[in-house]
Amino acid sequence: MRNGDYYGNEYGGGEYAGWTAFLAGAFVGAGLALLFAPQSGPELRGLLSNYAGRARDQMRERGREAWDTAKERGKEYMEKGQEAVQQAGRAAREFTQSAQETTRGGGGGEGSRNRG
């Protein structure tokens, strides 16, 4: 078993774990860069504010994208479900009609030949 498979299966999925690790690394890296940057307090607060604003906007955009994707998939599943129900209804009607025709026609087998 590969190491990536184990990590993905054990901890709930490799894609999300990768994003979490990326974001954690980005925050740690940004924090260290700001600590060692030769800037004054107000400049540093301005940079932090701008960074936080951009991060917030990006997270909102990704949230909207995720919501839109979820809505689209939900609609697709709903349409597939409705189609399956319609097909089942048609199959049930056809089965019922063929059973009624068989019953009306006397079965069409041995019993109908022995009547006359």
Side-chain angles (χ1 to χ4, degrees):
M1 179 173 356
R2 293 186 329 215
N3 189 23
D5 290 342
Y6 177 77
Y7 183 79
N9 291 336
E10 180 71 20
Y11 298 106
E15 181 179 336
Y16 295 111
W19 275 106
T20 303
F22 172 76
L23 289 175
F27 283 122
V28 169
L32 289 173
L34 291 174
L35 285 175
F36 292 108
Q39 296 165 339
S40 67
E43 290 175 348
L44 187 56
R45 283 192 295 274
L47 286 174
L48 286 173
S49 177
N50 288 339
Y51 178 76
R54 285 195 310 267
R56 180 187 64 231
D57 293 342
Q58 287 176 352
M59 294 307 281
R60 281 184 183 165
E61 181 61 29
R62 289 187 181 172
R64 284 187 197 114
E65 290 172 2
W67 178 253
D68 291 342
T69 300
K71 282 183 9 181
E72 289 174 15
R73 287 183 182 172
K75 287 179 183 178
E76 289 174 10
Y77 293 143
M78 181 78 148
E79 290 171 0
K80 287 179 182 179
Q82 287 175 341
E83 186 176 312
V85 168
Q86 289 173 353
Q87 288 177 354
R90 282 192 290 269
R93 278 192 299 275
E94 290 173 4
F95 178 77
T96 303
Q97 287 174 353
S98 68
Q100 287 174 349
E101 290 172 4
T102 301
T103 304
R104 285 186 203 135
E110 295 280 331
S112 62
R113 282 189 227 145
N114 292 336
R115 288 185 185 177

